Each structure stands twice: as C-alpha cells, then as structure tokens.
Amino acid sequence: MSTENEGTAVPPAPSAPPVPVETPAASAQTAAPEGGAPTAPIPAVPPSAPGAPEQAPALAEQSAYASAGAGQGADPYGQGTGAPGSAAEAGWPPPPPATPSYADGGGSGADAWGSSYQQPAPKPKNGRGGLVAAILVAALVAGGVGGGIGYSLAKNNDNSTDSTTVSAPSSSGSVKRASGTVANVAAKALPSTVTIEAQSTSGEGGTGTGFVFDTQGHILTNNHVVADAVDGGKLTATFPNGKKYNAEVVGHAQGYDVAVIKLKNAPSDLKPLALGDSDKVAVGDSTIAIGAPFGLSNTVTTGIISAKNRPVASSDGSSSSKASYMSALQTDASINPGNSGGPLLDEQGAVIGINSAIQSTSSGGLGGTSQSGSIGLGFAIPINQAKNVAQQLIKTGKPVYPLIGASVSLEEGTGGAKITEQGASGSDAVTSGGPADKAGLKPGDVITKLDNQVIDSGPTLIGEIWTHQPNDTVKLTYTRDGKTHTVDVTLGQREGDS
C-alpha cells in the first residue's frame, strides 16, 4: 500500500487566524483559509515497483500524508536504502517511495464555495407570461395567508392549557458534560492544539497541526509539516484563541516523520496534552482527531482504532525525498490534508498517536490533478515512538535510528525481508562487524519475523525495527536454503538523517 503525506503541493497558507475558542467548554470552531490549506495525501506505491516505498502486501494500497502542504508517499518497512529498485540498507537512507504522501497537503483555492450568482435576463412580456406572474402572486398571497393562520393557531395552542408541547426549562448555567464525552475531551484538548504555518525562503509552504508537548514551549508535529521552514524559512503557530507565535525548528527526523518546534516568547500558562500508552490501544477503541483539514483550524472528528501495527511508508513524492516509515495506528476518524501533526486522542483525552498519513485513491498524488480526502483510512505514528524521538530531538537536535546493519530488498513477493547481495552504492549488504553480521545473517537470507511480528517485506522490517531503541535485543526468524532459523540480534544505531 502506498500512503500519501499531507504535504505535497502546498497551497497558500490561510491568511485568517483560526477562530478563537472562548472557553474550554465551548465547541471547537474552524476558520477557512483563503487559498485552501495544504494537506498531503499518501500516494500509492506500485506493489511491484523496484525501490518503491510501498508497504507490506497487506497495505498494498495508496495513502497520503495528513498535513496541509506536505509531500507524498513513503515506504513503511525498511531500515535503509539499497540499490535503486532492488534493495534498502537496513539502516539509512531508504529510497523515496513511489507514490505515498503526507496528510497535510493543501486544498484547492479559487471558487472553493462555487461560482457567483447572476441575475437571469428578463423574459419577454406576453399574455402567457402575465398569467404566470398573476398565478405566482396569487400563490404567494395564499401562502402568506396560510402561514399567518398557521402561526396564529400555533401561538394560541401554545398558550392553551391543553397543549401537549413540552418546552425544556431555560438554564442560565453552562451545560456540564461527562469526562468521557467527545465535547469534554475536545474542550480540554483544543486549547493545547495549534495550527502551524511553514514557509520557505522562496515563499512556498503549507499548513499543518501540532500540540503542546511541555511547558517550555515545545510543540510536537510531523517533519513534513515544518520541512519548508527548516533552512531559514518562517514558522508560526496559532492557538484556537487567535494568539499567534513565531517558532523555530528544534529538531526533525525525516525517517520517523517527527519534528519538534519551539515557540518564541512562549506563554507561561501552556498546558501540555497528556500522553497515553499506544501499546495498550486495542482495535475498536474510540479515537478523536484534532487538526486543520484543508486549512479549517480546530476541527474535531471521531472514529475508532481500525488496526494496529499497520506498515506504512510515506514521502513528499519528490525524486530527492527519503521515505518515512511507521508501524502505524490505523483509524477511520476523518483525516484530511492539514491534519498532519495533530493529536489522535483516546476517549479520555490522552494522546495515543500523531496523525500523519491518509489512504489515497488518486493515482497522481498531490502533484496530480486531484488531491486525496478522507476515505476512512488514516494512519498515526504511535505516541510511544514519537515521544522517544521528540525527547531525543529536544536533547541533541538529531534523531537516532536503530538498525541491524544489513540491506534488504524493498520489493514485494519475497516472502519477507530479503537481505540483498549488495548494499547501497556498491557496499557490502551485511555490514562487517554489525548486528546482523554478528548474528550470522548472510545475503540471500529472508527475515520472516521480528519477535512475534510477521515480516512480509523489507519496508515492514524497517518500520518494526524503528519501534525499538538502539541496544535493544530482538529475536529474528529467517529462512536459508529452505530451513528456518532464529537468532537474537542486538540493534545498533545511526545518528541523523543523512
């Protein structure tokens, strides 16, 4: 399956700030951007395309990013990049996916609400036209009389003691809602969710979402949401109450599609969203997503967890783009371009994931003639993984990736993650002295399981490895010459995206 990220072609960022949320109990309001906020769909990756960042056969569909203005698809499974069209090193960098894209791509701008009304030309006057007009006048008069009689009867009936109509008592106090209701969760989470506008030095950019990570002003979001502002661009974050802050990128991890930004002159009353435990999430659990789909800031949608450990690969679709991989939480909550980077909450209001990609049914991705919208297939980075990455970025500014030190094929139909005969740029497929080498793995071996997780492709292996930490010991099951073997592998590490 290929996924599109929300941020491929980035439409103009909305000029109007999000509609303020007056009180925590108030419902979330949204503001529509003038030109449509960018959100990137995840482009589909041809299952058999060599080097395609497509996911395992189970995900052989098309997805896109969920953030406005982001890129297109990426491969969810591998660990690194291999020879073009054949393999990916179980380290970095993986090749760009063929079609996946982010969920923060932008929407279209002009005539978003339709064309303007034009007064029809007057018809020539004749006997028939006059008759029609007379009939219309009579009908209007009759309608007016009937309406007046109906209103009078209703009014009299309301005042009658025999009326069966029951009116709800007026209340001057606010409506109180239980802690588990969507309205209550939204009221508490919205004030800590921001709409992010990123602009490059050339003026290109897009819109996405983020949420307060700590009281120091750090905001957690997707890498593809802020990518345009990384090298000297402009970055702003706007809260639902209309307050806008300039921000800077603290660190970004392209492979994980996670980034941390920090507000300049951050307010002292920031309230970080509580982080849940994505490992304990179960299929069928309720979900609540908050974001700025197509620039409509502070939008709240609901759904359930549709699947766990879904291998997803996504990228911005450009030839120079590297793939992002995740073992994602799948949800049917409505997620569209602009939702990227926003929180996926459980029914108690705890963050369980970062909305990142959506399934796309279009063949062209964000760069084509159409843009993906919600079809009930959205993907979020599990918060347990995103939290670890964010903490590393805040600490050092650079991501750390676990790896096994072997190049694996990104093609499907290999029955697992096949170690290639040669690595990237002519290097050895199995790094000498690396984790795989120490465990006895060789070119041609096909890895079929990592611990208890079935591995059906190279991208799936990458996504699963990246849910761990360097120095973790995992159990790899592989086949060689028709025989199955199991070995323990202590993961190595690589720092940075390049």
Side-chain angles (χ1 to χ4, degrees):
M1 173 191 82
S2 63
T3 54
E4 295 180 358
N5 296 311
E6 295 179 57
T8 298
V10 177
S15 60
V19 177
V21 173
E22 298 180 358
T23 65
S27 303
Q29 301 180 23
T30 62
E34 295 179 0
T39 316
I42 301 173
V45 178
S48 60
E54 181 49 71
Q55 308 152 56
L59 269 187
E61 304 168 359
Q62 188 177 6
S63 315
Y65 292 118
S67 58
Q72 299 169 339
D75 194 323
Y77 321 95
Q79 207 188 352
T81 310
S86 62
E89 182 179 354
W92 183 266
T99 51
S101 62
Y102 299 108
D104 58 346
S108 59
D111 300 328
W113 297 103
S115 57
S116 60
Y117 172 76
Q118 295 182 351
Q119 181 71 27
K123 296 182 179 179
K125 296 182 179 180
N126 53 38
R128 188 178 184 82
L131 176 61
V132 172
I135 293 175
L136 288 175
V137 171
L140 288 173
V141 172
V145 173
I149 294 175
Y151 170 78
S152 178
L153 290 175
K155 185 175 185 297
N156 292 336
N157 206 30
D158 257 356
N159 295 330
S160 169
T161 55
D162 297 330
S163 174
T164 57
T165 302
V166 178
S167 299
S170 61
S171 173
S172 59
S174 60
V175 178
K176 294 183 178 180
R177 296 177 174 85
S179 61
T181 63
V182 175
N184 185 276
V185 170
K188 292 182 178 179
L190 276 168
S192 298
T193 304
V194 299
T195 297
I196 297 173
E197 294 179 35
Q199 191 175 62
S200 66
T201 53
S202 62
E204 297 180 348
T207 302
T209 309
F211 60 92
V212 178
F213 186 68
D214 59 27
T215 58
Q216 284 71 51
H218 291 110
I219 303 294
L220 188 55
T221 184
N222 281 143
N223 171 74
H224 70 266
V225 170
V226 304
D228 286 319
V230 168
D231 297 319
K234 182 180 180 181
L235 194 64
T236 62
T238 306
F239 285 84
N241 61 8
K243 292 184 178 180
K244 177 181 287 190
Y245 297 85
N246 290 324
E248 60 184 353
V249 178
V250 172
H252 60 105
Q254 198 281 329
Y256 293 121
D257 195 21
V258 171
V260 174
I261 66 175
K262 188 174 184 179
L263 305 178
K264 296 180 180 179
N265 301 316
S268 59
D269 59 348
L270 289 175
K271 295 181 179 179
L273 290 183
L275 304 184
D277 186 348
S278 51
D279 290 340
K280 294 182 179 179
V281 171
V283 172
D285 281 351
S286 297
T287 58
I288 301 169
I290 300 179
F294 297 102
L296 300 175
S297 302
N298 316 318
T299 294
V300 178
T301 56
T302 64
I304 62 169
I305 291 295
S306 304
K308 295 181 62 177
N309 302 316
R310 185 71 79 188
V312 174
S314 56
S315 80
D316 64 8
S318 66
S319 59
S320 60
S321 174
K322 298 174 183 176
S324 297
Y325 300 89
M326 70 181 92
S327 182
L329 294 176
Q330 180 182 322
T331 180
D332 66 349
S334 182
I335 295 177
N336 290 283
N339 273 108
S340 281
L344 183 67
L345 310 166
D346 62 18
E347 59 186 0
Q348 300 303 318
V351 181
I352 55 176
I354 300 178
N355 301 317
S356 181
I358 56 177
Q359 187 73 16
S360 172
T361 56
S362 64
S363 58
L366 291 180
T369 58
S370 64
Q371 181 172 315
S372 297
S374 175
I375 57 173
L377 293 172
F379 306 96
I381 303 168
I383 194 60
N384 288 8
Q385 177 182 11
K387 177 178 65 176
N388 291 333
V389 176
Q391 292 172 338
Q392 182 66 38
L393 292 176
I394 293 173
K395 182 179 179 181
T396 68
K398 295 182 179 180
V400 172
Y401 296 91
L403 49 78
I404 62 172
S407 294
V408 295
S409 172
L410 297 179
E411 296 182 0
E412 294 184 2
T414 56
K418 184 178 181 179
I419 299 178
T420 58
E421 296 300 325
Q422 191 176 59
S425 303
S427 62
D428 292 335
V430 177
T431 303
S432 178
D437 184 37
K438 292 179 180 179
L441 292 169
K442 299 179 179 180
D445 290 346
V446 178
I447 299 171
T448 57
K449 290 182 68 176
L450 188 154
D451 291 332
N452 293 321
Q453 186 66 36
V454 174
I455 302 300
D456 52 18
S457 71
T460 302
L461 176 64
I462 296 175
E464 284 301 318
I465 288 176
W466 285 0
T467 63
H468 292 77
Q469 296 294 309
N471 298 318
D472 282 355
T473 297
V474 298
K475 191 178 295 295
L476 293 181
T477 299
Y478 66 95
T479 60
R480 178 190 298 170
D481 299 328
K483 296 182 179 180
T484 300
H485 308 271
T486 300
V487 293
D488 288 334
V489 177
T490 299
L491 301 176
Q493 72 175 51
R494 176 183 57 77
E495 184 177 296
D497 280 318
S498 59

